[in-house]
Amino acid sequence: MPEVVSREQWLKARLSLLEQEKEKEKEKEKEKEKEKELTRRRDALNAERRRLPMVRVEKEYVFDGPDGKTSLAGCSGTPDSCSFSTSCSAGTGTRPCPSCTEFTTELTGALVERLRSRDTAFAMVCRAPLEKIEAWTAGRGWAVPWYSSHGSDFNYDFQVTLDGAAGQVTYNYRPEPDAVDGERSVELPGASCFVRDGGEVFHTYSAYARGLDHVDTAYAFLDQTAFGRQEAWEEPKGRAPVIHGTL
């Protein structure tokens, strides 16, 4: 049974509870405002990204694709805007990257069509020879076109191949000489965006590492849950029942 008190004591306890409820509502409003502010900041960042200058692509890159050899402009087909995700599959094509494989599986035909409805194309590029790529993709039902940059400087110039012998050890806009770790070259993930104006192609944006988080569908949903991505670096510690590696 509840404690028996005077009317004055009961009223004091009740008003105290009411104040606590009001404080909780204020905290909820603060949380809502933080999420709204994040949305506004994301919109502002996207606007700043669109205001970045662009660089004319002078070099002639040649890719091997499903319809034969093509140029950078040819990879996008008819759309004037294009995003290339560079897969970190081994340069020799001996072993596909599990994370890139899972990411590609999430890219459905409906997504590709939605992008094309906004005059934007999407393609995957890696240094593996085309026959290796076709062996990986066979039977997977992937809707995203894959191209091989084997024999070209594309992955080097857009800094997703780290190669000490070639003097290219920059990744995510900073030197990463230790990432090569004695191997001739290392492939890492990245995404680069281009725009075509007539017969010219311009580079507008590139992102790497966690700069790609916001385009990962699974992470976008997991970030909204109580357990999150269930990876070791996340807060609060000890929340997730099982700690996983990177998806």
Side-chain angles (χ1 to χ4, degrees), residues 93-243:
T94 56
R95 180 172 54 88
C97 167
S99 293
C100 292
T101 300
E102 290 299 320
F103 172 70
T104 308
T105 301
E106 296 173 0
L107 302 174
T108 65
L111 172 62
V112 174
E113 288 306 313
R114 286 184 70 186
L115 293 175
R116 284 191 172 274
S117 73
R118 301 299 173 93
D119 200 28
T120 299
F122 183 89
M124 299 289 287
V125 175
C126 74
R127 287 180 60 222
L130 183 62
E131 58 269 21
K132 295 290 186 180
I133 295 175
E134 291 176 338
W136 298 338
T137 59
R140 293 184 181 272
W142 286 344
V144 177
W146 278 67
Y147 293 90
S148 168
S149 60
H150 187 70
S152 84
D153 296 331
F154 183 80
N155 287 47
Y156 286 85
D157 292 347
F158 291 94
Q159 300 181 345
V160 288
T161 294
L162 275 64
D163 188 339
Q168 167 27 36
V169 292
T170 299
Y171 181 68
N172 201 16
Y173 303 103
R174 59 177 179 264
E176 295 284 2
D178 295 337
V180 180
D181 194 26
E183 297 182 23
R184 184 183 180 279
S185 65
V186 173
E187 309 301 317
L188 295 170
S192 291
C193 299
F194 303 87
V195 65
R196 186 172 60 188
D197 184 15
E200 295 185 305
V201 177
F202 299 85
H203 174 222
T204 61
Y205 186 73
S206 287
Y208 311 90
R210 292 207 60 199
L212 305 173
D213 274 10
H214 63 287
V215 298
D216 190 304
T217 306
Y219 277 153
F221 282 105
L222 288 170
D223 284 344
Q224 299 178 62
T225 68
F227 291 153
R229 304 182 188 190
Q230 301 164 48
E231 296 177 2
W233 60 271
E234 286 184 294
E235 297 288 348
K237 300 294 185 185
R239 168 70 61 82
V242 177
I243 297 298

Side-chain angles (χ1 to χ4, degrees), residues 75-105:
C75 289
S76 68
T78 55
D80 290 332
S81 177
C82 185
S83 175
F84 284 86
S85 180
T86 46
S87 167
C88 53
S89 303
T92 59
T94 56
R95 180 172 54 88
C97 167
S99 293
C100 292
T101 300
E102 290 299 320
F103 172 70
T104 308
T105 301

Side-chain angles (χ1 to χ4, degrees), residues 4-20:
V4 178
V5 296
S6 67
R7 173 62 59 182
E8 290 76 13
Q9 289 173 312
W10 180 89
L11 183 60
K12 182 178 179 180
R14 179 65 186 90
L15 291 175
S16 176
L17 179 59
L18 186 61
E19 285 301 314
Q20 292 178 37

Side-chain angles (χ1 to χ4, degrees), residues 65-77:
D67 299 318
K69 294 190 180 298
T70 188
S71 64
L72 183 59
C75 289
S76 68

